[in-house]
């Protein structure tokens, strides 16, 4: 079974937020909310500075606390690619998952259910890339099967320096940032 | 007419439809109304078109799902978008659904600027405009009507006004933006940089950005190529008072003192000439006046430039050598918004000369020679003979090759060389795009007619006598995009979805106005499809194919000298002019000379402005998708200065300029990413037009603080980085 993940090239990323906008239109994310976002980390003192720009979202963790804590089984690991999803019909909007996520990736949709990045599984199952990946003008985002050593993401992770977010949280995130 | 106040206008919906319908029933429109888009109510339809959120005009494919606009993506066969839109393009669908849009034609019913309107039918609006235009023509002549426009959508209205008899058309994109750059390059190479810029960024091995913040300034193809160059390991050199996104990708970041860029460029050239690092064959073959040029810059050593720029001599030398090492694939980017300090043409000319030394003009990794498709214009009847243009009397600015918008404003105020009594403003918010708002308002008060065509109730619309609500780009046909680019192509904009209210496409307005003015013979076509079909057929192309594909590409042609592109220079000498006799003859420096700009007084900061990737000028802040990305702007203040001023990130402050103008409140971004002697904000925020309900009073307007400007004596550009501000604490209540 595939294990989907992303490798995002911080060297190319300019933080333009096209990924955020594309997610919003593709998934009709309600006004005032976004499923992905841009984080900018600046270190140093002017003018000797380093800046990392990252497109962030749900990490579709191998050990997802949001799934473990869900009282109704709405948060679950999908058969295809091990993507973490929410069954909106089962969700009661209790916010346990929102609190459990160390990445702040979830929010409660005004209709009352927990919402977050789905890796655009509806597109992936049609052979398309997630909207954020397909739109990125800098081609900094790569999506694929982390278990396939020949996939683009695996090749990039094998050949480039990279890090993930909050590895110490023990969630085994599946989004990696190339540096 | 149904009269109503601004307060009521905020709530316009079905309530006023009845009155408007009754009014339009009195007359009958003769122009063929635009055909409805007719989309299927079930399933997904994909319609190719081209974007209008900025002027780049990327090819796109819009998706309509179950009859409603869903999303828009890049057209994979479009050479501009290369299948990927920028965030503004992706969020462009928010323009269609923006609840703050203009909905119906409006006529002013109170004092100018009070934003109190009567809603009228289109025929009433045209009748009102035509009557005023007839009076202006009889009293002053047709040349007393001028038009300001931005973008391709203004083409048809321009045609109507040329038929009416005026020669006066200007765009702020010249004197307020790219004009100095284009004149500087034209005087050196004989040609403009153009738009889209003829920069071969993707093949550059060394890219030099001087204040140009690609990545934040989101010109799609350029940003894509920038990322490509970064990914390929190109050496990036950035000179900017602010640690921009581009600076974060740079091998060399030069935190230059604002206003001293010309000193840096002269020093770079000094090193390259002194050390013999320039492309000697290229300069010998194509250059004119090199020896005089070399003598002129002999004193501009890195040591001379150091106290001016704050950049250490060894850094200037190292970066100059790095540029030379990668020549001719070193691109010193010409920038775009170049109206900074009033000496901008000479600075741009220096940038052109640095490229000439590196042999990058016409070479791979430098500047390509753009090509375009041959699509003949529509064979209209000849326009009436018009008198000389009003904007540049006596050639006061001898090298302005386009009309100067601020020159038209000046003539409107003074009545010299002849009066201007009518303005048409198409898709440019002059209150935000021209410096010194007070002068703009003074000019407006001298008008007998101000017509604004816009999609949102912008600030300039608030000053209008008549407001004509335009369909957004997703709802209309427009003229063909026959762009000069890397390869020839033609692109079509076509309606994806119907306008939600009584908005109309610009072509329909222009034709209908011409008919009302008795100029119907200037529109031999019934509707725009007929016009487009005529032009395409004349070019041997198929309208049906273009409707289906959105883009038709032509055969590639050589775009570099080495591949056979003609190495011709339309300068007086026919060569690259290192020394300019025409400048010398006109009394200007034949080789650029640096003059130190005035410094901010103690306690003040120089005000700088730039772009965010999710907004275009002042026209997208009410787009709910884009405002969800960035809702207000921030003032960037150096972290150390912020500590001294006792303000922190997130605090609201106000900026007060040297003329005691105080901005709207704006949040502080205390950051290491900027020098301590300047502050920075993104342009386009701080709206004051009451109809922009969502964007109203969010953030501050840089334009409002730009009361001073330095006019470029060569071409009339308005340098706008010459304003100084202090940080005033925001008094909060409760």
């Amino acid at each position: 079974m595939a294990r989907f993940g992303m490798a995002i090239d911080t060297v190319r990323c300019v933080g333009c937020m096209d990924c955020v906008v594309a997610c919003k239109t593709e998934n009709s994310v309600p006004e005032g909310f976004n499923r992905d976002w841009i984080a900018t980390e600046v270190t140093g003192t002017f003018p000797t500075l380093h800046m990392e720009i990252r497109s962030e979202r749900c990490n579709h963790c191998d050990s997802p606390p949001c799934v473990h804590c869900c009282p109704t089984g709405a948060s679950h690991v999908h058969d295809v690619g091990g993507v973490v999803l929410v069954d909106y019909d089962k969700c009661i909007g209790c916010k346990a998952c929102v609190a459990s996520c160390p990445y702040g990736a979830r929010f409660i949709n005004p209709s009352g259910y927990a919402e977050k990045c789905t890796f655009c599984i509806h597109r992936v199952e049609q052979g398309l890339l997630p909207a954020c990946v397909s739109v990125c003008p800098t081609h900094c985002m790569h999506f694929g099967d982390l278990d396939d050593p020949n996939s683009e993401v695996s090749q990039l992770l094998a050949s480039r320096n990279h890090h993930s977010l909050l590895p110490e949280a023990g969630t085994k995130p599946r989004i990696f940032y190339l540096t | 007419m149904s009269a109503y106040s601004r307060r009521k206008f905020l709530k316009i919906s079905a309530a006023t439809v009845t009155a408007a319908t009754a009014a339009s029933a009195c007359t009958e429109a003769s122009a063929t109304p635009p055909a409805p888009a007719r989309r299927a109510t079930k399933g997904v339809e994909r319609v190719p078109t081209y974007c209008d959120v900025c002027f780049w005009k990327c090819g796109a494919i819009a998706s309509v799902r179950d009859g409603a606009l869903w999303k828009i993506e890049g057209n994979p066969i479009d050479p501009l978008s290369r299948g990927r839109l920028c965030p503004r393009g992706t969020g462009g669908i928010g323009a269609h659904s923006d609840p703050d849009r203009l909905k119906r034609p409006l006529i002013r019913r109170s004092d100018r600027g009070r934003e109190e309107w009567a809603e009228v039918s289109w025929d009433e609006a045209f009748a009102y405009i035509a009557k005023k235009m007839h009076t202006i023509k009889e009293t002053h002549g047709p040349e007393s009507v001028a038009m300001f426009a931005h973008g391709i959508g203004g083409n048809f209205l321009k045609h109507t006004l040329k038929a009416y008899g005026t020669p006066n058309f200007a765009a702020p994109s010249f004197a307020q933006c790219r004009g100095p750059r284009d004149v500087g390059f034209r005087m050196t190479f004989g040609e403009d940089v153009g738009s889209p810029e003829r920069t071969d960024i993707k093949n550059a091995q060394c890219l030099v950005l001087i204040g140009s913040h690609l990545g934040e300034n989101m010109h799609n193809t350029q940003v894509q190529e920038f990322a490509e160059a970064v990914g390929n390991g190109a050496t990036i050199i950035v000179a900017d008072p602010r640690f921009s996104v581009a600076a974060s990708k740079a091998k060399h970041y030069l935190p230059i003192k604002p206003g001293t860029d010309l000193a840096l460029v002269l020093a770079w050239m000094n090193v390259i000439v002194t050390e013999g690092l320039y492309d000697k064959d290229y300069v010998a073959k194509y250059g004119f006046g090199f020896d005089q040029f070399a003598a002129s810059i002999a004193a501009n050593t890195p040591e001379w430039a150091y106290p001016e720029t704050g950049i250490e001599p060894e850094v200037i030398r190292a970066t100059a050598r790095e540029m030379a090492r990668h020549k001719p694939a070193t691109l010193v980017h010409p920038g775009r918004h170049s109206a900074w300090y009033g000496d901008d043409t000479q600075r741009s000319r220096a940038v052109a000369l640095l490229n000439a030394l590196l042999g990058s003009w016409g070479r791979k990794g430098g500047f390509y020679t753009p090509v375009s498709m041959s699509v003949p214009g529509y064979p209209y009847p000849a326009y009436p003979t018009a008198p000389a243009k009003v904007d540049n009397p006596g050639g006061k600015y001898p090298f302005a090759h386009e009309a100067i918008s601020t020159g038209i404003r000046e003539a409107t105020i003074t009545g010299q060389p002849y009066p201007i009594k009518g303005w048409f403003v198409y898709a440019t918010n002059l209150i935000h795009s021209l410096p010194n708002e007070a002068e703009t308002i003074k000019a407006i008060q001298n008008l007998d007619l101000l017509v604004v065509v816009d999609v949102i109730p912008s600030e300039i619309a608030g000053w209008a006598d008549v407001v004509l609500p335009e369909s957004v780009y997703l709802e209309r046909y427009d003229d063909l995009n026959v762009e000069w680019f890397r390869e020839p192509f033609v692109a079509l904009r076509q309606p994806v979805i119907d306008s939600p209210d009584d908005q109309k496409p610009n072509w329909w307005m222009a034709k209908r106005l011409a008919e009302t003015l008795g100029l119907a013979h200037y529109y031999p076509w019934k509707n725009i499809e007929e016009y487009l079909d005529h032009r395409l057929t004349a070019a041997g192309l198929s309208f049906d194919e273009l409707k289906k594909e959105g883009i038709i590409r032509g055969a590639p042609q050589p775009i570099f000298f080495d591949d056979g592109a003609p190495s011709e220079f339309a300068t007086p000498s026919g060569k690259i002019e290192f020394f300019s006799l025409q400048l010398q003859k006109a009394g200007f420096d034949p080789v650029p000379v640096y003059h130190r700009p005035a410094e901010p007084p103690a306690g003040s900061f120089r005000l700088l402005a730039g772009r965010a990737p999710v907004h275009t000028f002042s026209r997208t802040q009410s787009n709910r998708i884009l405002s969800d990305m960035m809702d207000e702007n921030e003032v960037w203040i150096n972290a150390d200065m912020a500590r001294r001023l006792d303000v922190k990130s997130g605090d609201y402050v106000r900026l007060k300029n040297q003329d005691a103008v105080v901005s709207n409140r704006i949040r502080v971004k205390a950051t290491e990413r900027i020098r301590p002697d300047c502050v920075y904000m993104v342009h386009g925020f701080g709206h004051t037009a009451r109809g922009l309900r969502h964007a109203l009073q969010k953030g501050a307007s840089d334009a409002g603080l730009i009361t001073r400007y330095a006019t470029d004596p060569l071409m009339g550009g308005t340098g706008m980085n010459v304003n100084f501000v202090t940080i005033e604490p925001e008094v909060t209540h409760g």
Side-chain angles (χ1 to χ4, degrees):
Chain A
M1 193 180 87
R3 197 168 61 93
F4 291 143
M6 281 186 183
I8 301 176
D9 190 345
T10 63
V11 177
R12 291 181 76 127
C13 178
V14 296
C16 74
M17 304 177 89
D18 207 0
C19 45
V20 187
V21 182
C23 173
K24 197 171 192 75
T25 60
E26 174 68 30
N27 298 299
S28 305
V29 178
E31 194 178 323
F33 300 93
N34 291 305
R35 291 184 184 178
D36 52 350
W37 61 92
I38 296 292
T40 303
E41 209 171 292
V42 181
T43 48
T45 308
F46 186 84
T48 311
L49 297 166
H50 175 79
M51 181 160 76
E52 182 174 287
I53 306 170
R54 294 187 301 265
S55 171
E56 297 186 0
R57 59 189 48 61
C58 167
N59 277 277
H60 295 274
C61 305
D62 279 340
S63 178
C66 53
V67 172
H68 300 154
C69 74
C70 179
T72 68
S75 282
H76 64 282
V77 177
H78 188 54
D79 299 343
V80 179
V83 176
V84 176
L85 296 178
V86 180
D87 183 335
Y88 299 148
D89 290 334
K90 284 188 188 168
C91 179
I92 54 170
C94 74
K95 303 183 190 169
C97 58
V98 175
S100 76
C101 175
Y103 307 105
R106 291 177 169 234
F107 61 91
I108 300 295
N109 181 291
S111 299
Y113 53 81
E115 183 177 335
K116 66 167 197 74
C117 164
T118 62
F119 268 168
C120 279
I121 193 70
H122 63 288
R123 289 173 58 93
V124 173
E125 287 179 343
Q126 290 174 42
L128 300 169
L129 288 167
C132 55
V133 178
S134 76
V135 79
C136 176
T138 70
H139 291 253
C140 80
M141 301 180 62
H142 306 272
F143 174 84
D145 183 3
L146 296 171
D147 282 348
D148 173 2
N150 296 316
S151 71
E152 190 190 28
V153 280
S154 297
Q155 299 277 325
L156 282 165
L157 294 175
S159 62
R160 296 268 304 267
N161 289 331
H162 59 267
H163 66 91
S164 58
L165 300 180
L166 303 175
E168 65 276 17
T171 55
K172 299 180 186 159
R174 272 192 258 148
I175 293 181
F176 298 92
Y177 294 94
L178 306 172
T179 58
Chain B
M1 279 192 188
S2 67
Y4 59 95
S5 71
R6 161 57 66 172
R7 286 286 157 228
K8 282 187 194 160
F9 174 54
L10 300 179
K11 292 181 201 158
I12 288 174
S13 59
T16 43
V17 172
T18 321
T21 312
S24 57
C26 305
T27 51
E28 204 173 335
S30 63
T32 314
R38 283 203 188 84
R39 299 289 163 212
T41 50
K42 281 282 161 213
V44 175
E45 266 188 272
R46 288 163 58 81
V47 186
T49 188
Y50 67 83
C51 186
D52 191 44
V53 187
C54 85
F55 41 76
W56 208 256
K57 302 191 278 286
C58 290
I61 299 177
S63 292
V64 179
R65 185 171 57 191
D66 301 341
L69 190 57
W70 172 23
K71 63 179 174 181
I72 186 163
E73 297 158 296
N75 185 339
I77 62 167
D78 168 45
L80 287 169
S81 74
R82 312 199 292 183
R84 296 177 178 224
L85 296 179
C86 85
R88 298 168 302 165
T90 306
I93 61 166
H96 167 72
S97 54
D98 182 351
D100 295 343
R101 283 179 68 172
L102 290 164
K103 296 177 172 68
R104 292 170 195 86
L106 304 170
I107 291 182
R108 178 169 67 83
R109 70 166 199 95
S110 179
D111 293 342
R112 279 208 174 102
R114 289 182 61 104
E115 302 183 79
E116 289 176 355
W117 314 96
E119 186 174 285
V120 298
S121 72
W122 281 97
D123 281 346
E124 280 177 290
F126 290 132
Y128 180 95
I129 296 167
K131 192 177 165 203
K132 293 272 189 184
M133 287 176 76
H134 283 309
T135 308
I136 292 171
K137 195 178 211 169
E138 279 163 23
T139 318
H140 304 284
E143 66 275 15
S144 289
V145 170
M147 179 175 170
F148 300 87
H150 189 273
I152 198 166
N155 286 11
F156 294 105
L157 210 47
K158 265 184 214 167
H159 169 59
T160 296
L161 293 182
K162 282 180 188 169
Y164 168 78
T166 183
N168 292 314
F169 302 90
S173 53
F174 181 71
Q176 279 70 51
C177 190
R178 60 176 169 72
R181 173 198 77 179
D182 283 344
V183 175
F185 271 68
R186 184 177 272 237
M187 305 205 70
T188 308
F189 296 113
E191 282 180 50
D192 295 358
V193 178
S195 173
E197 282 77 6
R198 56 203 285 172
T199 47
D200 187 25
I201 298 173
K202 69 177 176 188
N203 290 312
Q205 289 167 27
C206 177
L207 174 66
V208 185
L209 300 173
I210 304 167
S212 180
H213 51 321
L214 286 182
E216 290 160 279
N217 198 350
M218 199 66 213
H219 299 145
N220 195 354
T221 328
Q222 288 201 78
V223 175
Q224 293 195 22
E225 292 195 16
F226 174 61
E228 212 171 320
V230 169
N232 290 339
T235 298
I236 312 293
I237 299 170
V238 172
D240 199 314
R242 192 177 61 96
F243 187 78
S244 59
V245 166
S248 77
K249 314 291 182 193
K251 177 177 174 186
H252 301 280
Y253 167 53
L254 281 53
I256 191 167
K257 185 173 177 179
T260 67
D261 311 87
L262 177 53
L264 175 65
V265 178
L266 290 172
W268 272 335
M269 294 198 288
N270 175 284
V271 174
I272 289 169
V273 170
T274 311
E275 299 186 5
L277 302 174
Y278 59 97
D279 189 332
K280 295 192 180 93
D281 293 344
Y282 183 95
V283 169
K285 192 169 171 191
Y286 301 126
F288 170 84
F290 177 78
D291 292 341
Q292 288 153 291
F293 158 79
S296 174
I297 62 161
N300 301 127
T301 61
E303 284 70 21
W304 163 83
Y306 178 34
E308 301 299 329
T309 61
I311 309 301
E312 294 87 350
E314 53 271 34
V315 174
I316 296 176
R317 285 205 170 79
T319 45
R321 287 170 192 152
E322 186 114 42
M323 287 180 220
R325 189 153 55 242
H326 296 290
K327 72 175 186 294
T330 294
L331 172 63
V332 186
H333 198 285
R336 185 174 183 107
H337 183 271
S338 49
W340 296 349
Y341 296 98
D343 63 347
D344 307 300
T345 302
Q346 291 285 18
R347 182 190 68 248
S348 298
R349 192 169 131 66
V351 171
L353 290 171
L354 176 55
N355 279 295
L357 286 176
L358 297 163
S360 68
W361 183 265
R363 311 285 281 283
K364 201 169 178 181
F367 295 83
Y368 64 81
T369 306
V371 291
S372 87
M373 204 94 135
S374 172
V375 181
Y378 192 93
Y380 287 123
Y383 297 121
T385 311
K389 294 175 184 178
V390 78
D391 62 285
N392 189 11
K396 184 177 168 192
Y397 302 107
F399 301 104
H401 62 274
E402 291 184 31
I404 303 164
S405 47
T406 26
I408 292 181
R409 182 177 73 177
E410 176 82 13
T412 311
I413 294 170
T414 63
Q416 299 298 328
Y418 54 80
I420 292 292
K421 289 293 171 184
W423 281 10
F424 276 76
V425 181
Y426 176 84
T428 174
N429 187 3
L430 296 182
I431 301 295
H432 279 251
S433 56
L434 300 183
N436 195 318
E437 180 181 328
E439 280 183 67
T440 306
I441 291 167
K442 196 171 172 191
I444 289 170
Q445 299 293 20
N446 276 355
L447 295 173
D448 295 336
L449 176 67
L450 171 54
V451 180
V452 171
V453 182
D454 213 329
V455 297
I456 50 167
S458 57
E459 281 72 22
I460 190 66
W463 285 94
D465 302 325
V466 185
V467 180
L468 302 179
E470 193 189 14
S471 305
V472 303
Y473 68 104
L474 295 159
E475 302 157 359
R476 67 180 200 238
Y477 278 107
D478 251 318
D479 212 341
L480 299 168
N481 185 24
V482 187
E483 204 69 276
W484 289 84
F485 195 56
R486 287 179 177 275
E487 57 179 291
F489 71 93
V490 56
L492 177 71
R493 178 175 293 153
Q494 61 182 328
V496 175
I497 193 105
D498 288 332
S499 295
D501 298 285
D502 199 17
Q503 300 92 348
K504 295 278 194 253
N506 59 69
W507 66 264
W508 182 88
M509 293 182 213
K511 178 171 161 64
R512 189 76 192 94
L513 177 62
E515 288 163 358
T516 315
L517 288 165
L519 300 167
H521 57 290
Y522 279 95
Y523 283 87
W525 40 271
K526 279 202 298 294
N527 55 43
I528 192 169
E529 285 102 318
E530 200 179 298
Y531 163 90
L532 295 169
D533 191 35
H534 190 285
R535 283 194 69 191
L536 290 163
T537 305
L541 301 170
S542 156
F543 186 30
D544 284 337
E545 185 192 342
L546 195 55
K547 278 200 268 194
K548 193 164 153 279
E549 304 294 339
I551 311 277
I552 296 176
R553 297 167 79 149
Q557 296 168 31
I559 57 168
F560 297 112
F561 292 175
D562 299 331
D563 298 335
S567 49
E568 293 164 356
F569 306 95
T571 55
S573 64
K575 295 195 158 197
I576 299 172
E577 301 211 330
F578 283 93
F579 187 89
S580 171
L581 289 170
Q582 60 173 338
L583 273 173
Q584 190 180 43
K585 202 178 292 175
F588 298 107
D589 296 326
V591 176
V593 174
Y594 170 75
H595 301 280
R596 186 179 302 159
E599 300 206 11
S604 285
F605 302 86
R606 187 183 296 278
L607 174 67
L608 301 176
R611 305 281 183 237
V614 290
H615 285 288
T616 299
F617 313 137
S618 62
R619 61 196 267 186
T620 52
Q621 288 74 27
S622 67
N623 174 321
R624 301 298 199 269
I625 294 174
L626 297 178
S627 73
D628 249 9
M629 303 301 124
M630 180 183 182
D631 210 18
E632 53 182 280
N633 59 354
E634 300 169 306
V635 57
W636 295 41
I637 304 175
N638 173 274
D640 191 38
M641 295 309 287
R643 273 189 292 275
R644 290 191 214 179
L645 291 163
D646 195 26
V647 293
K648 56 186 190 306
S649 285
D651 287 355
Y652 276 114
V653 295
R654 289 178 193 260
L655 306 185
K656 185 178 179 182
N657 81 354
Q658 69 283 330
D659 298 318
V661 170
V662 179
S663 76
N664 188 40
R665 65 177 199 164
I666 181 170
R667 284 187 196 277
V668 169
K669 178 187 171 99
T671 175
E672 291 292 341
R673 292 176 57 195
I674 191 165
R675 286 174 60 98
D677 53 2
C678 52
V679 294
Y680 168 86
M681 68 169 78
V682 169
H683 169 76
F685 286 83
H687 283 283
T688 52
R690 284 175 289 173
L692 292 172
R693 291 171 299 177
H694 185 74
L696 188 62
Q697 305 291 352
K698 284 185 182 154
S701 163
D702 61 310
L705 294 164
I706 300 174
T707 48
R708 295 197 184 172
Y709 53 92
T711 305
D712 191 316
L714 275 70
M715 47 62 74
T718 56
M720 298 187 275
N721 292 2
V722 296
N723 290 270
F724 305 123
V725 295
T726 52
I727 310 294
E728 308 289 318
E730 165 71 347
V731 182
T732 48
H733 302 282

